[in-house]
Amino acid sequence: MTKAKQKRSEQPEPTTMARGHLLVVEDEEDLQDLLRYNLTREGFTVTCTDRGEQALRLVAERVPDLIVLDLMLPGMDGLEVCRTLKANPATAAVPVVMLTAKGEEADVVVGLEMGADDYVPKPFSPRVLTARLRAVLRRPKLAPTEEGEGEAAAIRVAGIEIFPDRHEVKLATGPVDLTATEFKLLQMMVRRPGRVFTRQQIIDTLHDGLAAVTDRSVDVQIVSLRRKLGEMGQIIQTVRGVGYRLREE
């Protein structure tokens, strides 16, 4: 890659009317230009690079609001970039959306287990990608409860209220009686709407990675949780071949 091309690919766009700073790590020049054009038009500030090593240097200079990360990169690949980011406390919370080619399902699962927030398969619609990025950038808002200052904040999203300290879940129709495992599962998903959780990730979180817990057990818990949430149960979506996520409202 020529120095001129590298300089152009890493140059940030103007920040006018920016909705957030995005770092795009993509080695296909045409796709990189397409992403830069569409995301800038949507009001984002966009920085692009085609190298994983350079992406880490850029993040060290300025932490972005979100990283769009291609998995297949020359040199340091996308999975290694994601692993490095999530291992660093300064960047662990930065959302990562992976771009994947057909046939990379195993890499998708690994990336999600590392902490990536979502994935978008190629080829993709720029409008769909933009919508997915916005969904990842949105987070449930925490609001204080009415019960007292010493109590943990309630989590409210999509018509669901969770009170962590009281182990309570409420819908518009009234309280919901959940088991300890179901409560923990719902709380995990509500805190990160839009993020895909693999079955193994759910097992590791809810059961400390016990070998006796199977993928089928996770599916049964999801079915039970959906049933107890009634009409709101449809907010828990199945991502075929990967796992589950809470639909972003």
Side-chain angles (χ1 to χ4, degrees):
M1 181 178 67
T2 66
K3 291 184 178 180
K5 177 183 173 184
Q6 182 176 2
K7 183 177 181 180
R8 174 188 61 77
S9 68
E10 297 166 6
Q11 181 65 35
E13 293 293 331
T15 58
T16 304
M17 297 178 62
R19 295 180 176 176
H21 172 215
L22 307 185
L23 174 60
V24 174
V25 190
E26 169 58 59
D27 67 322
E28 293 183 34
E29 183 176 350
D30 291 344
L31 184 52
Q32 186 185 112
D33 289 341
L34 176 67
L35 290 168
R36 183 199 301 271
Y37 172 77
N38 283 280
L39 294 175
T40 301
R41 188 176 64 175
E42 292 295 325
F44 293 103
T45 300
V46 182
T47 300
C48 294
T49 183
D50 55 7
R51 296 276 177 170
E53 299 88 343
Q54 180 63 17
L56 295 178
R57 288 193 289 269
L58 290 170
V59 171
E61 295 171 3
R62 179 187 180 187
V63 178
D65 296 299
L66 183 145
I67 299 172
V68 180
L69 180 63
D70 185 21
L71 288 186
M72 301 298 292
L73 296 169
M76 178 182 288
D77 65 21
L79 288 178
E80 184 59 31
V81 173
C82 185
R83 182 183 295 110
T84 302
L85 290 169
K86 296 303 178 181
N88 183 351
T91 57
V94 177
V96 174
V97 174
M98 302 182 302
L99 299 180
T100 68
K102 185 178 181 180
E104 295 177 353
E105 182 177 286
D107 288 334
V108 169
V109 173
V110 173
L112 292 172
E113 290 180 342
M114 286 180 186
D117 293 78
D118 202 355
Y119 74 98
V120 177
K122 299 177 182 179
F124 54 81
S125 159
R127 291 182 62 187
V128 171
L129 174 64
T130 300
R132 298 277 283 272
L133 298 185
R134 286 176 178 167
V136 170
L137 285 169
R138 290 194 295 268
R139 289 292 182 262
K141 299 183 183 299
L142 298 181
T145 66
E146 301 173 358
E147 306 297 326
E149 296 180 354
E151 193 172 58
I155 306 169
R156 296 183 174 93
V157 62
I160 301 173
E161 279 188 306
I162 297 180
F163 299 87
D165 284 358
R166 290 185 276 158
H167 200 276
E168 291 182 0
V169 175
K170 292 182 180 180
L171 304 178
T173 54
V176 181
D177 184 20
L178 301 181
T179 66
T181 299
E182 291 166 348
F183 182 85
K184 192 173 181 180
L185 173 58
L186 179 61
Q187 184 175 213
M188 177 180 70
M189 301 183 77
V190 166
R191 286 187 182 276
R192 301 296 296 274
R195 172 176 174 170
V196 180
F197 292 92
T198 66
R199 289 175 174 84
Q200 186 58 52
Q201 195 170 32
I202 293 173
I203 290 172
D204 291 342
T205 301
L206 302 186
H207 305 284
D208 296 323
L210 293 177
V213 180
T214 65
D215 288 358
R216 178 58 182 164
S217 298
V218 173
D219 295 338
V220 170
Q221 289 168 349
I222 291 289
V223 170
S224 177
L225 181 56
R226 282 172 172 160
R227 177 178 56 79
K228 291 183 178 181
L229 292 176
E231 293 183 0
M232 291 301 301
Q234 62 185 346
I235 198 172
I236 301 176
Q237 297 180 314
T238 301
V239 181
R240 292 188 180 280
V242 183
Y244 298 95
R245 67 177 162 205
L246 193 80
R247 186 179 70 236
E248 181 74 27
E249 289 296 300

